[in-house]
Coordinates of all heavy atoms in Angstrom, one line a residue:
L260 N -6.5 73.0 59.5 CA -7.4 74.1 59.8 C -6.9 75.3 59.1 O -5.9 75.3 58.4 CB -7.4 74.4 61.3 CG -8.0 73.2 62.2 CD1 -8.0 73.6 63.6 CD2 -9.4 72.9 61.7
S261 N -7.6 76.4 59.2 CA -7.2 77.7 58.6 C -7.3 78.8 59.7 O -7.8 78.6 60.8 CB -8.1 78.1 57.4 OG -9.4 78.2 57.8
N262 N -6.7 79.9 59.4 CA -6.6 81.0 60.4 C -8.0 81.4 61.0 O -8.0 81.8 62.2 CB -6.0 82.3 59.7 CG -4.6 82.0 59.2 OD1 -4.1 81.0 59.4 ND2 -4.0 83.1 58.6
E263 N -9.0 81.3 60.2 CA -10.4 81.7 60.7 C -10.8 80.8 61.9 O -11.7 81.1 62.6 CB -11.4 81.6 59.6 CG -11.2 82.5 58.4 CD -10.2 81.9 57.4 OE1 -10.4 80.8 56.9 OE2 -9.2 82.6 57.2
N264 N -10.2 79.6 62.0 CA -10.6 78.7 63.1 C -10.0 79.0 64.4 O -10.4 78.4 65.4 CB -10.2 77.2 62.7 CG -10.8 76.7 61.4 OD1 -10.1 76.5 60.5 ND2 -12.1 76.6 61.4
I265 N -9.1 80.0 64.4 CA -8.4 80.3 65.7 C -9.2 81.2 66.6 O -9.6 82.3 66.1 CB -7.0 80.9 65.4 CG1 -6.2 79.9 64.6 CG2 -6.3 81.2 66.7 CD1 -4.9 80.6 64.0
D266 N -9.5 80.8 67.8 CA -10.2 81.7 68.7 C -9.3 82.6 69.5 O -9.6 83.8 69.7 CB -11.0 80.9 69.7 CG -12.2 80.1 69.0 OD1 -13.0 80.7 68.3 OD2 -12.2 78.8 69.2
W267 N -8.1 82.0 69.9 CA -7.2 82.8 70.7 C -5.7 82.5 70.2 O -5.3 81.4 70.0 CB -7.3 82.4 72.2 CG -8.6 82.8 72.8 CD1 -9.6 82.1 73.0 CD2 -8.9 84.2 73.2 NE1 -10.6 82.8 73.6 CE2 -10.2 84.1 73.7 CE3 -8.2 85.4 73.2 CZ2 -10.9 85.2 74.2 CZ3 -8.9 86.5 73.7 CH2 -10.2 86.4 74.2
L268 N -4.9 83.6 70.2 CA -3.5 83.5 70.0 C -2.9 83.8 71.4 O -3.1 84.8 72.0 CB -3.0 84.6 69.0 CG -1.5 84.7 68.9 CD1 -0.9 83.4 68.3 CD2 -1.2 85.9 68.0
V269 N -2.0 82.8 71.8 CA -1.3 83.0 73.1 C 0.2 83.0 72.7 O 0.9 81.9 72.6 CB -1.6 81.8 74.1 CG1 -0.8 82.1 75.4 CG2 -3.1 81.8 74.4
P270 N 0.7 84.2 72.4 CA 2.1 84.2 71.8 C 3.1 84.4 73.0 O 2.8 84.8 74.1 CB 2.1 85.5 71.0 CG 1.1 86.4 71.7 CD 0.1 85.5 72.4
H271 N 4.4 84.1 72.6 CA 5.5 84.4 73.5 C 5.5 86.0 73.7 O 5.3 86.7 72.7 CB 6.8 84.0 72.8 CG 8.0 84.5 73.6 ND1 8.2 84.4 74.9 CD2 9.2 85.1 73.1 CE1 9.3 84.9 75.3 NE2 9.9 85.3 74.2
Q272 N 5.7 86.4 74.9 CA 5.5 87.8 75.2 C 6.8 88.6 75.3 O 7.3 88.9 76.4 CB 4.8 87.9 76.6 CG 3.5 87.1 76.7 CD 2.3 87.7 76.0 OE1 2.1 88.9 76.0 NE2 1.5 86.8 75.5
A273 N 7.4 88.8 74.1 CA 8.7 89.5 74.1 C 8.6 91.0 73.8 O 9.3 91.8 74.4 CB 9.6 88.9 73.0
N274 N 7.7 91.3 72.9 CA 7.5 92.7 72.4 C 6.2 92.9 71.8 O 5.8 92.1 70.9 CB 8.7 93.0 71.4 CG 8.7 94.4 71.0 OD1 7.7 95.0 70.7 ND2 9.9 95.0 70.9
I275 N 5.4 93.9 72.2 CA 4.1 94.1 71.7 C 4.1 94.2 70.2 O 3.2 93.8 69.5 CB 3.4 95.3 72.4 CG1 1.9 95.3 72.0 CG2 4.0 96.6 72.0 CD1 1.0 94.2 72.6
R276 N 5.2 94.8 69.6 CA 5.2 95.0 68.2 C 5.4 93.7 67.4 O 4.8 93.6 66.3 CB 6.3 96.0 67.8 CG 6.1 97.4 68.4 CD 7.1 98.4 67.9 NE 8.4 98.2 68.5 CZ 9.6 98.2 67.9 NH1 9.6 98.5 66.6 NH2 10.7 97.9 68.6
I277 N 6.1 92.8 68.0 CA 6.2 91.5 67.4 C 4.8 90.8 67.4 O 4.4 90.2 66.4 CB 7.3 90.6 68.1 CG1 8.7 91.2 67.9 CG2 7.2 89.2 67.5 CD1 9.8 90.5 68.7
I278 N 4.1 90.9 68.5 CA 2.8 90.2 68.7 C 1.8 90.9 67.7 O 1.1 90.2 67.0 CB 2.3 90.3 70.1 CG1 3.3 89.6 71.1 CG2 0.9 89.8 70.2 CD1 3.0 89.8 72.6
Q279 N 1.9 92.2 67.6 CA 1.0 92.9 66.6 C 1.2 92.4 65.2 O 0.3 92.2 64.4 CB 1.1 94.4 66.7 CG 0.5 95.0 68.0 CD 1.0 96.4 68.3 OE1 2.1 96.8 67.8 NE2 0.3 97.1 69.1
S280 N 2.5 92.3 64.8 CA 2.8 91.9 63.5 C 2.3 90.4 63.2 O 1.8 90.1 62.1 CB 4.3 92.0 63.3 OG 4.7 91.1 62.3
T281 N 2.5 89.6 64.2 CA 2.1 88.2 64.0 C 0.6 88.1 63.9 O 0.0 87.3 63.1 CB 2.5 87.3 65.3 OG1 3.9 87.6 65.5 CG2 2.3 85.9 65.0
A282 N -0.1 88.8 64.8 CA -1.6 88.8 64.8 C -2.1 89.3 63.4 O -3.1 88.7 62.8 CB -2.2 89.6 65.9
K283 N -1.5 90.3 62.9 CA -1.9 90.9 61.6 C -1.7 89.9 60.5 O -2.6 89.7 59.7 CB -1.1 92.1 61.3 CG -1.6 93.0 60.2 CD -0.9 94.3 60.2 CE -1.2 95.0 58.9 NZ -0.3 96.1 58.6
K284 N -0.6 89.2 60.5 CA -0.4 88.1 59.5 C -1.4 87.0 59.6 O -1.7 86.4 58.6 CB 1.1 87.6 59.6 CG 2.1 88.5 59.1 CD 3.5 87.9 59.1 CE 4.5 88.9 58.6 NZ 5.8 88.5 58.6
L285 N -1.8 86.7 60.8 CA -2.8 85.7 61.0 C -4.3 86.2 60.7 O -5.2 85.4 60.7 CB -2.8 85.1 62.4 CG -1.5 84.2 62.7 CD1 -1.4 84.1 64.2 CD2 -1.6 82.9 62.0
G286 N -4.4 87.5 60.5 CA -5.7 88.1 60.4 C -6.6 88.1 61.6 O -7.8 88.1 61.6
L287 N -5.9 88.1 62.8 CA -6.6 88.1 64.1 C -6.5 89.5 64.7 O -5.5 90.1 64.7 CB -5.9 87.2 65.1 CG -6.1 85.7 65.0 CD1 -5.3 85.0 66.1 CD2 -7.6 85.3 65.2
P288 N -7.7 90.0 65.2 CA -7.7 91.3 65.9 C -6.9 91.1 67.2 O -6.9 90.0 67.8 CB -9.1 91.6 66.2 CG -9.8 90.3 66.1 CD -9.0 89.4 65.2
M289 N -6.3 92.2 67.7 CA -5.6 92.1 69.0 C -6.5 91.7 70.1 O -6.0 91.2 71.1 CB -4.9 93.5 69.3 CG -3.7 93.8 68.4 SD -2.4 92.5 68.4 CE -1.6 92.9 70.0
S290 N -7.8 91.9 70.0 CA -8.7 91.5 71.1 C -8.7 90.0 71.2 O -9.2 89.4 72.2 CB -10.1 92.0 70.8 OG -10.5 91.5 69.5
R291 N -8.2 89.2 70.2 CA -8.1 87.8 70.3 C -6.7 87.3 70.7 O -6.4 86.1 70.6 CB -8.5 87.2 68.9 CG -9.9 87.3 68.5 CD -10.7 86.3 69.4 NE -12.1 86.3 69.1 CZ -13.0 85.5 69.6 NH1 -12.6 84.7 70.6 NH2 -14.3 85.6 69.3
C292 N -5.9 88.2 71.2 CA -4.6 87.8 71.7 C -4.6 87.9 73.2 O -5.1 88.9 73.8 CB -3.5 88.8 71.2 SG -3.3 88.7 69.4
I293 N -4.0 87.0 73.9 CA -3.8 87.1 75.3 C -2.4 87.9 75.5 O -1.4 87.4 75.0 CB -3.7 85.7 76.0 CG1 -5.0 84.9 75.8 CG2 -3.4 85.9 77.5 CD1 -6.3 85.6 76.3
L294 N -2.5 89.0 76.2 CA -1.3 89.8 76.3 C -1.0 90.0 77.8 O -1.8 90.4 78.6 CB -1.6 91.3 75.8 CG -2.0 91.3 74.3 CD1 -2.4 92.7 73.9 CD2 -0.8 90.9 73.4
T295 N 0.3 89.7 78.1 CA 0.8 89.9 79.5 C 2.1 90.6 79.4 O 2.7 90.9 80.5 CB 1.1 88.5 80.2 OG1 2.0 87.7 79.3 CG2 -0.2 87.7 80.4
V296 N 2.6 91.0 78.2 CA 3.9 91.6 78.1 C 4.0 92.9 78.9 O 5.0 93.2 79.4 CB 4.2 91.8 76.6 CG1 3.3 92.8 75.9 CG2 5.7 92.2 76.4
A297 N 2.9 93.6 79.0 CA 3.0 94.9 79.7 C 3.3 94.7 81.2 O 4.0 95.5 81.8 CB 1.6 95.6 79.6
D298 N 2.7 93.6 81.8 CA 2.9 93.4 83.2 C 4.0 92.4 83.6 O 4.5 92.5 84.7 CB 1.6 92.9 83.8 CG 0.4 93.8 83.5 OD1 0.6 95.0 83.6 OD2 -0.7 93.4 83.2
H299 N 4.4 91.5 82.7 CA 5.4 90.5 83.0 C 6.7 90.8 82.3 O 7.7 90.2 82.7 CB 4.9 89.1 82.6 CG 3.6 88.7 83.1 ND1 3.0 87.5 82.8 CD2 2.8 89.2 84.1 CE1 1.9 87.3 83.4 NE2 1.8 88.4 84.2
G300 N 6.8 91.6 81.2 CA 8.0 91.6 80.4 C 8.1 90.2 79.8 O 7.2 89.4 79.7
N301 N 9.4 89.9 79.3 CA 9.7 88.6 78.6 C 10.2 87.7 79.7 O 11.3 87.8 80.2 CB 10.7 88.9 77.6 CG 11.1 87.7 76.8 OD1 10.8 86.5 77.2 ND2 11.8 87.8 75.7
T302 N 9.4 86.7 80.0 CA 9.8 85.7 81.0 C 10.3 84.4 80.4 O 10.2 83.3 80.9 CB 8.6 85.3 82.0 OG1 7.5 84.9 81.2 CG2 8.2 86.5 82.8
S303 N 10.8 84.5 79.1 CA 11.4 83.4 78.4 C 10.5 82.2 78.3 O 9.3 82.3 77.9 CB 12.8 83.2 79.0 OG 13.5 82.3 78.2
A304 N 11.0 81.0 78.8 CA 10.2 79.8 78.7 C 8.9 79.8 79.5 O 8.0 79.0 79.2 CB 11.1 78.6 79.1
A305 N 8.8 80.7 80.4 CA 7.6 80.8 81.2 C 6.5 81.6 80.6 O 5.3 81.6 81.0 CB 7.9 81.4 82.6
S306 N 6.8 82.4 79.5 CA 5.8 83.4 79.1 C 4.6 82.8 78.5 O 3.5 83.4 78.8 CB 6.6 84.4 78.2 OG 6.2 84.2 76.8
I307 N 4.7 81.8 77.7 CA 3.4 81.2 77.1 C 2.5 80.6 78.1 O 1.3 80.9 78.2 CB 3.8 80.3 75.9 CG1 4.4 81.1 74.8 CG2 2.5 79.5 75.4 CD1 5.0 80.2 73.7
P308 N 3.0 79.7 79.0 CA 2.1 79.1 80.0 C 1.6 80.1 81.0 O 0.5 80.0 81.5 CB 2.9 78.0 80.7 CG 4.4 78.3 80.4 CD 4.4 79.0 79.1
L309 N 2.4 81.2 81.3 CA 1.9 82.3 82.2 C 0.7 83.0 81.5 O -0.3 83.2 82.1 CB 3.0 83.3 82.4 CG 3.8 83.2 83.7 CD1 5.1 84.0 83.6 CD2 2.9 83.7 84.9
A310 N 0.9 83.3 80.2 CA -0.2 84.0 79.5 C -1.4 83.1 79.3 O -2.6 83.6 79.5 CB 0.3 84.5 78.1
F311 N -1.2 81.8 79.1 CA -2.3 80.9 78.9 C -3.1 80.8 80.2 O -4.4 80.9 80.2 CB -1.8 79.5 78.5 CG -2.8 78.5 78.1 CD1 -3.8 78.9 77.2 CD2 -2.9 77.3 78.7 CE1 -4.8 77.9 76.9 CE2 -3.8 76.4 78.4 CZ -4.8 76.7 77.5
D312 N -2.4 80.7 81.3 CA -3.1 80.6 82.6 C -3.9 81.9 82.8 O -5.1 81.8 83.3 CB -2.1 80.4 83.7 CG -2.8 80.1 85.1 OD1 -3.7 79.3 85.1 OD2 -2.4 80.8 86.1
E313 N -3.4 83.0 82.5 CA -4.1 84.2 82.7 C -5.3 84.3 81.8 O -6.4 84.7 82.3 CB -3.2 85.4 82.4 CG -3.9 86.7 82.7 CD -2.9 87.9 83.1 OE1 -2.0 87.6 83.8 OE2 -3.1 89.0 82.6

Side-chain angles (χ1 to χ4, degrees):
L260 297 180
S261 60
N262 296 0
E263 298 80 58
N264 300 116
I265 300 167
D266 294 305
W267 291 102
L268 173 64
V269 182
H271 172 47
Q272 310 280 325
N274 185 317
I275 190 70
R276 294 185 291 137
I277 295 175
I278 299 173
Q279 284 163 342
S280 158
T281 310
K283 195 171 167 195
K284 286 187 181 175
L285 288 165
L287 280 179
M289 289 302 283
S290 58
R291 287 286 183 180
C292 297
I293 303 297
L294 300 174
T295 55
V296 63
D298 302 322
H299 302 174
N301 180 348
T302 56
S303 189
S306 105
I307 293 170
L309 260 165
F311 186 52
D312 186 48
E313 186 152 317

